[in-house]
Amino acid sequence: MIEVIQAGLETSVQDYPGRIGYWNQGFPPSGPMDSWSFRLANLLVGNEPGAAGLECQFMGPTLKFRKNTVIAVCGADMKPKLEGQPMPTWESVAVSAGQTLQLSFPSVGARGYIAIAGGIATPPWLGSRSTFHKAGVGGMEGHALKVGQIVPVAQGRGKGGRKVKDGSRPTFSANKHWTIEVVAGPNDDWVDEAGHARFLATDWKLSSKSDRTGFRLEGPMWTFAEKATNKRPEHGAEPSNIIDQGYPVGAINLAGQTPIILVNDGPSMGGFINPYTVPSAAFWKLGQSRPGETYRFHKVTVEQAQAMGRDLKAICSENSIY
């Protein structure tokens, strides 16, 4: 139903919450980095919040529609144009067969989302249509969209003119600085008090050596508790080494002296400590940040992180659409 004229930098099929229940077999959840924008886009076109749509990274695609449908573009403002004319974002728009949608570079934010009434109908793999690039599964044959591909879409019943309330939209950082919530653990006791204070007081820079597997951070050296330096040999030689363990999604994985946030396509286990974890409700900020921008981490409790998730779920509902 949709022909890919230009693919964009990395445009992939994703659904929410992704591929759940297979991480112990090496398959991460994948799914949209900014699930807030993604879910609202789906609601605008009459889909369930988790229906498969497109995630567009840094530069959007050009798509031609072969049938009449309804679409919505949310997330980073990639200046969408329909038949060469500016198209509103955070609003459902009816499109006709033969019309072309073009997205470009975002002025603020990093990832845009395209929802189509009915949802993308690629075959699910292990219960999800989400693309996991490094294993080549899900989506359009396991990879980002390519020029000339035809993206299948299910029958939908969306209508144009539906909008997201202003107070229900995420706010992207125009000053290139983000406050990111973190929960201590699971290995926070391997870092000393000075190391924790330094981590929370530092503006960490997002490295260009980052992708959907991990967000690498640049900043000061870490210092460690005695248990990290006086340990049994099976834990490894470096203070940040630990006997292989499972990693939570969002773990800030300390590889030597380099913290790496394990995001949607991250590994499920390894031999490094994870002193902090970014809760899922804060992932949208990671998804909308760019290399060179900075993070300041704010410590919250597990209960506060869970409340953030409940609040975000309430926002990503029909109550936010008019």
Side-chain angles (χ1 to χ4, degrees):
M1 180 179 171
I2 301 174
E3 180 181 356
V4 181
I5 306 300
Q6 294 182 359
L9 182 61
E10 184 179 281
T11 305
S12 61
V13 176
Q14 302 293 341
D15 59 14
Y16 178 82
R19 191 166 288 107
I20 302 301
Y22 297 95
W23 221 21
N24 63 336
Q25 299 176 37
F27 296 101
S30 300
M33 293 283 294
D34 173 7
S35 72
W36 187 343
S37 299
F38 181 88
R39 286 183 275 180
L40 288 177
N42 267 318
L43 289 167
L44 283 170
V45 300
N47 294 344
E48 291 296 317
L54 296 177
E55 177 178 84
C56 315
Q57 178 177 273
F58 300 127
M59 182 180 72
T62 299
L63 307 172
K64 186 174 183 179
F65 299 91
R66 292 189 168 185
K67 293 183 179 180
N68 297 345
T69 189
V70 175
I71 64 172
V73 178
C74 295
D77 184 4
M78 291 185 161
K79 306 174 184 65
K81 292 183 178 180
L82 186 63
E83 287 297 290
Q85 298 300 312
M87 189 191 105
T89 56
W90 305 99
E91 179 178 339
S92 62
V93 176
V95 299
S96 301
Q99 289 190 313
T100 298
L101 172 70
Q102 181 181 22
L103 274 62
S104 100
F105 299 94
S107 53
V108 177
R111 290 171 175 84
Y113 294 91
I114 304 172
I116 306 98
I120 291 175
T122 53
W125 193 83
L126 293 181
S128 171
R129 294 182 169 88
S130 287
T131 305
F132 176 31
H133 302 262
K134 295 197 173 182
V137 298
M140 294 293 291
E141 302 172 4
H143 300 285
L145 297 190
K146 300 176 183 178
V147 173
Q149 285 185 318
I150 304 299
V151 182
V153 178
Q155 185 68 35
R157 297 182 179 180
K159 63 179 181 179
R162 286 162 52 86
K163 302 178 182 180
V164 176
K165 298 175 182 176
D166 289 342
S168 297
R169 303 177 187 179
T171 301
F172 304 152
S173 175
N175 64 1
K176 301 181 180 181
H177 181 79
W178 301 80
T179 299
I180 308 293
E181 291 81 4
V182 289
V183 176
N187 308 123
D188 50 304
D189 55 342
W190 286 59
V191 175
D192 64 13
E193 290 185 11
H196 286 297
R198 190 179 304 111
F199 171 74
L200 295 171
T202 294
D203 288 343
W204 294 89
K205 182 179 179 181
L206 179 60
S207 169
S208 59
K209 297 178 181 179
S210 301
D211 59 14
R212 283 177 52 93
T213 299
F215 276 26
R216 185 181 298 263
L217 306 179
E218 299 173 358
M221 300 286 283
W222 288 72
T223 51
F224 299 90
E226 182 182 357
K227 71 179 299 179
T229 55
N230 184 18
K231 58 186 177 181
R232 296 177 63 87
E234 60 263 29
H235 283 292
E238 295 294 327
S240 61
N241 287 150
I242 193 171
I243 194 166
D244 280 8
Q245 60 173 346
Y247 292 156
V249 180
I252 299 183
N253 188 242
L254 192 52
Q257 284 285 345
T258 303
I260 302 172
I261 307 174
L262 304 181
V263 288
N264 298 51
D265 291 353
S268 60
M269 66 175 296
F272 294 108
I273 63 170
N274 305 290
Y276 289 92
T277 301
V278 178
S280 59
F283 263 48
W284 68 270
K285 301 178 188 180
L286 305 178
Q288 293 299 349
S289 57
R290 311 184 195 186
E293 298 183 351
T294 57
Y295 299 153
R296 176 66 68 91
F297 293 101
H298 173 64
K299 184 179 175 181
V300 298
T301 65
V302 171
E303 291 75 20
Q304 288 172 319
Q306 291 171 337
M308 288 169 56
R310 290 192 294 269
D311 291 344
L312 185 55
K313 183 177 181 180
I315 292 172
C316 297
S317 68
E318 285 289 340
N319 293 331
S320 295
I321 310 296
Y322 71 97

